[in-house]
Amino acid sequence: MSQLTFPANFLWGTATASYQIEGAWNEDGKGESIWDRFSHTPGKVLNGDTGDVACDHYHRWPQDIALMQELGLQAYRFSISWPRVQPQGRGRVNQPGLDFYSRLVDSLLAANITPFVTLYHWDLPQALQDEGGWPARATAEAFAEYAGVMAQALGDRVKHWITHNEPWCASLLSYQIGEHAPGWQDWPAALAAAHHLLLSHGWAVPVIRQHSPAAEVGITLNFTPAYPASSSQADLTATRQFDGYFNRWFVDPLYGRHYPADMVADYQKAGYLPQGLNFVCSGDMDVIAAPTDFLGVNYYTRTVCRDEQAEDNLPATLMADLPRTEMDWEVFPQGLYELLNRLHFHYGPRKMYVTENGVSYSDGPDGAGRVADERRVAYLQAHFAAAHRAVQNGVPLAGYFVWSLMDNFEWAKGYSQRFGLVHVDYQTQTRTLKDSALWYRDVIRGSVNIWGA
Ligand code: IFM
């Protein structure tokens, strides 16, 4: 075992998202979002949970910043609720909404915590959904306007901007699988949505730079590396396809490689692109490939790909038998190491941040009020060590954000999953530092060591 040291200005932080923590869904002039509409629709979210109150962060943010200070966080990644700022998605700006984020930023800076602002973490104004949502090009145009509003308001103080969080979720999970808002199941619409999300990112980059000249601008993708269950042709094809669907469809165009040709062919064959790539207009791919300052990487797990239908399959040699989290995701830290290397050597982003990594375990306070979540400590330790090995290989990793600061609304799974370093009692809104929070505080302080093999 050796003791690991990260680069001197490496940033340690935590991440959250507006709908998952803020609550105050209809206060101070905020407009309705697609997640308000979706969670208020019976049957869409487990147990009928909603983000109406969530962690009540909209009212309790001073206390939450105090918690961040207690943990010694160096950076905090949060997202802006678009309909809190522009209730109709374009045009009129709701000043109280803007003031909320402005105060938050000022207080973070006063606490010596660097704000990382995500513009879109899935709470689209319902008004824009009513006009077609992300499958409509006009939504991308509205996003560029909104990015300008935010950069103008906060750009003097915010120096790290993330346009979108996980466009795979905002497009395919939301418009093809239908598990997330707005709950469509429509392949062609989902692929158009993916394009418009990426396009809106490309349009927003220069707009943000214009109002916030010294800032770093990037995008966050979620990656699930795909591994074949065996070396059979069928499993290799399944692996290529999953990787294309989940990872390459998004990262390739951002780095100037257009949509992956193998996937375009597969989608055409399957009938998912009946009009071809007709949503791609001349010049779009150059817009999408606008140079950025960093790539945000969200990593939780891998996928083992098996074509169960194939007759000529070999026996599976790579079994999915690792420990699993309460999301039923495999714990696979090696995947983070391999992913960071792949991104660095294959795409060459200038810089990367792990903008999310963390784990859902439901440990709560014992009789003495202690939350002994040693499995989360073990998960984080192993992933930090994997990231460190990547840094040793020359990967330009500049920081790491644990998901999440506190337990929160886990989308279609409601409050059943707890990812926080801080436990939240939703009845009383009491926050309790879990053991993992205390351990993370000590990692940041440098008073406990991260161990590598
Ligand atoms: O809670 C989510 C977050 O909103 C986006 N990334 C994955 C997390 C855990 O599922």
mmCIF file of all heavy atoms in Angstrom, residues 145-162:
data_model
loop_
_atom_site.group_PDB
_atom_site.id
_atom_site.type_symbol
_atom_site.label_atom_id
_atom_site.label_comp_id
_atom_site.label_asym_id
_atom_site.label_seq_id
_atom_site.Cartn_x
_atom_site.Cartn_y
_atom_site.Cartn_z
ATOM 1 N N GLU A 145 -30.227 31.838 -25.292
ATOM 2 C CA GLU A 145 -30.654 33.104 -24.677
ATOM 3 C C GLU A 145 -30.514 33.033 -23.157
ATOM 4 O O GLU A 145 -29.962 33.942 -22.521
ATOM 5 C CB GLU A 145 -32.115 33.388 -25.062
ATOM 6 C CG GLU A 145 -32.665 34.655 -24.440
ATOM 7 C CD GLU A 145 -34.185 34.787 -24.615
ATOM 8 O OE1 GLU A 145 -34.699 34.492 -25.715
ATOM 9 O OE2 GLU A 145 -34.849 35.188 -23.636
ATOM 10 N N TYR A 146 -30.987 31.933 -22.612
ATOM 11 C CA TYR A 146 -30.912 31.721 -21.149
ATOM 12 C C TYR A 146 -29.455 31.708 -20.665
ATOM 13 O O TYR A 146 -29.113 32.304 -19.632
ATOM 14 C CB TYR A 146 -31.652 30.425 -20.824
ATOM 15 C CG TYR A 146 -31.278 29.719 -19.552
ATOM 16 C CD1 TYR A 146 -31.484 30.301 -18.296
ATOM 17 C CD2 TYR A 146 -30.736 28.424 -19.587
ATOM 18 C CE1 TYR A 146 -31.154 29.619 -17.128
ATOM 19 C CE2 TYR A 146 -30.406 27.747 -18.431
ATOM 20 C CZ TYR A 146 -30.612 28.345 -17.197
ATOM 21 O OH TYR A 146 -30.273 27.683 -16.052
ATOM 22 N N ALA A 147 -28.574 31.074 -21.434
ATOM 23 C CA ALA A 147 -27.150 31.044 -21.061
ATOM 24 C C ALA A 147 -26.608 32.475 -20.988
ATOM 25 O O ALA A 147 -25.830 32.819 -20.085
ATOM 26 C CB ALA A 147 -26.360 30.214 -22.076
ATOM 27 N N GLY A 148 -27.060 33.322 -21.918
ATOM 28 C CA GLY A 148 -26.631 34.720 -21.909
ATOM 29 C C GLY A 148 -27.126 35.448 -20.667
ATOM 30 O O GLY A 148 -26.383 36.205 -20.042
ATOM 31 N N VAL A 149 -28.379 35.191 -20.309
ATOM 32 C CA VAL A 149 -28.943 35.833 -19.101
ATOM 33 C C VAL A 149 -28.109 35.461 -17.880
ATOM 34 O O VAL A 149 -27.707 36.311 -17.072
ATOM 35 C CB VAL A 149 -30.419 35.387 -18.892
ATOM 36 C CG1 VAL A 149 -30.935 35.812 -17.526
ATOM 37 C CG2 VAL A 149 -31.304 35.924 -20.011
ATOM 38 N N MET A 150 -27.788 34.185 -17.760
ATOM 39 C CA MET A 150 -27.060 33.726 -16.574
ATOM 40 C C MET A 150 -25.620 34.232 -16.574
ATOM 41 O O MET A 150 -25.093 34.640 -15.535
ATOM 42 C CB MET A 150 -27.073 32.191 -16.480
ATOM 43 C CG MET A 150 -28.414 31.575 -16.174
ATOM 44 S SD MET A 150 -29.383 32.387 -14.866
ATOM 45 C CE MET A 150 -28.226 32.410 -13.504
ATOM 46 N N ALA A 151 -24.974 34.167 -17.744
ATOM 47 C CA ALA A 151 -23.571 34.590 -17.799
ATOM 48 C C ALA A 151 -23.454 36.089 -17.531
ATOM 49 O O ALA A 151 -22.510 36.549 -16.887
ATOM 50 C CB ALA A 151 -22.969 34.228 -19.145
ATOM 51 N N GLN A 152 -24.445 36.836 -18.007
ATOM 52 C CA GLN A 152 -24.443 38.280 -17.755
ATOM 53 C C GLN A 152 -24.614 38.569 -16.259
ATOM 54 O O GLN A 152 -23.989 39.454 -15.709
ATOM 55 C CB GLN A 152 -25.591 38.909 -18.522
ATOM 56 C CG GLN A 152 -25.242 40.247 -19.091
ATOM 57 C CD GLN A 152 -26.304 40.714 -20.080
ATOM 58 O OE1 GLN A 152 -27.115 39.920 -20.568
ATOM 59 N NE2 GLN A 152 -26.300 41.985 -20.375
ATOM 60 N N ALA A 153 -25.490 37.777 -15.618
ATOM 61 C CA ALA A 153 -25.791 38.035 -14.208
ATOM 62 C C ALA A 153 -24.666 37.567 -13.279
ATOM 63 O O ALA A 153 -24.389 38.205 -12.265
ATOM 64 C CB ALA A 153 -27.100 37.337 -13.830
ATOM 65 N N LEU A 154 -24.053 36.439 -13.598
ATOM 66 C CA LEU A 154 -23.096 35.840 -12.651
ATOM 67 C C LEU A 154 -21.662 35.790 -13.171
ATOM 68 O O LEU A 154 -20.746 35.415 -12.443
ATOM 69 C CB LEU A 154 -23.526 34.405 -12.292
ATOM 70 C CG LEU A 154 -24.936 34.186 -11.758
ATOM 71 C CD1 LEU A 154 -25.162 32.709 -11.441
ATOM 72 C CD2 LEU A 154 -25.191 35.021 -10.496
ATOM 73 N N GLY A 155 -21.499 36.139 -14.442
ATOM 74 C CA GLY A 155 -20.210 35.921 -15.100
ATOM 75 C C GLY A 155 -19.049 36.694 -14.508
ATOM 76 O O GLY A 155 -17.887 36.340 -14.714
ATOM 77 N N ASP A 156 -19.357 37.761 -13.759
ATOM 78 C CA ASP A 156 -18.259 38.497 -13.116
ATOM 79 C C ASP A 156 -17.684 37.702 -11.957
ATOM 80 O O ASP A 156 -16.549 37.889 -11.566
ATOM 81 C CB ASP A 156 -18.777 39.863 -12.615
ATOM 82 C CG ASP A 156 -19.983 39.726 -11.696
ATOM 83 O OD1 ASP A 156 -20.720 38.719 -11.785
ATOM 84 O OD2 ASP A 156 -20.199 40.632 -10.857
ATOM 85 N N ARG A 157 -18.474 36.765 -11.410
ATOM 86 C CA ARG A 157 -18.029 36.025 -10.218
ATOM 87 C C ARG A 157 -17.858 34.532 -10.447
ATOM 88 O O ARG A 157 -17.049 33.883 -9.801
ATOM 89 C CB ARG A 157 -19.050 36.249 -9.081
ATOM 90 C CG ARG A 157 -19.000 37.654 -8.512
ATOM 91 C CD ARG A 157 -20.295 38.031 -7.839
ATOM 92 N NE ARG A 157 -21.363 38.214 -8.833
ATOM 93 C CZ ARG A 157 -22.666 38.095 -8.582
ATOM 94 N NH1 ARG A 157 -23.065 37.795 -7.365
ATOM 95 N NH2 ARG A 157 -23.554 38.277 -9.539
ATOM 96 N N VAL A 158 -18.652 33.976 -11.387
ATOM 97 C CA VAL A 158 -18.554 32.531 -11.643
ATOM 98 C C VAL A 158 -17.532 32.309 -12.744
ATOM 99 O O VAL A 158 -17.656 32.862 -13.831
ATOM 100 C CB VAL A 158 -19.931 31.958 -12.049
ATOM 101 C CG1 VAL A 158 -19.797 30.525 -12.549
ATOM 102 C CG2 VAL A 158 -20.885 32.030 -10.870
ATOM 103 N N LYS A 159 -16.541 31.492 -12.473
ATOM 104 C CA LYS A 159 -15.458 31.275 -13.436
ATOM 105 C C LYS A 159 -15.430 29.849 -13.967
ATOM 106 O O LYS A 159 -14.495 29.450 -14.663
ATOM 107 C CB LYS A 159 -14.103 31.621 -12.783
ATOM 108 C CG LYS A 159 -14.011 33.082 -12.341
ATOM 109 C CD LYS A 159 -14.193 34.048 -13.522
ATOM 110 C CE LYS A 159 -14.339 35.495 -13.090
ATOM 111 N NZ LYS A 159 -14.938 36.347 -14.111
ATOM 112 N N HIS A 160 -16.442 29.055 -13.611
ATOM 113 C CA HIS A 160 -16.528 27.673 -14.107
ATOM 114 C C HIS A 160 -17.978 27.390 -14.488
ATOM 115 O O HIS A 160 -18.860 27.413 -13.610
ATOM 116 C CB HIS A 160 -16.068 26.668 -13.043
ATOM 117 C CG HIS A 160 -14.636 26.878 -12.635
ATOM 118 N ND1 HIS A 160 -14.264 27.804 -11.691
ATOM 119 C CD2 HIS A 160 -13.497 26.303 -13.076
ATOM 120 C CE1 HIS A 160 -12.943 27.790 -11.562
ATOM 121 N NE2 HIS A 160 -12.449 26.891 -12.383
ATOM 122 N N TRP A 161 -18.172 27.141 -15.772
ATOM 123 C CA TRP A 161 -19.526 26.940 -16.294
ATOM 124 C C TRP A 161 -19.635 25.577 -16.957
ATOM 125 O O TRP A 161 -18.769 25.194 -17.752
ATOM 126 C CB TRP A 161 -19.840 28.004 -17.344
ATOM 127 C CG TRP A 161 -19.920 29.394 -16.798
ATOM 128 C CD1 TRP A 161 -18.894 30.283 -16.666
ATOM 129 C CD2 TRP A 161 -21.091 30.058 -16.307
ATOM 130 N NE1 TRP A 161 -19.356 31.467 -16.131
ATOM 131 C CE2 TRP A 161 -20.703 31.356 -15.901
ATOM 132 C CE3 TRP A 161 -22.436 29.673 -16.173
ATOM 133 C CZ2 TRP A 161 -21.610 32.271 -15.367
ATOM 134 C CZ3 TRP A 161 -23.338 30.599 -15.645
ATOM 135 C CH2 TRP A 161 -22.915 31.879 -15.252
ATOM 136 N N ILE A 162 -20.725 24.898 -16.666
ATOM 137 C CA ILE A 162 -21.048 23.626 -17.324
ATOM 138 C C ILE A 162 -22.382 23.850 -18.035
ATOM 139 O O ILE A 162 -23.373 24.217 -17.385
ATOM 140 C CB ILE A 162 -21.158 22.489 -16.287
ATOM 141 C CG1 ILE A 162 -19.788 22.269 -15.617
ATOM 142 C CG2 ILE A 162 -21.667 21.198 -16.936
ATOM 143 C CD1 ILE A 162 -19.822 21.389 -14.395
#
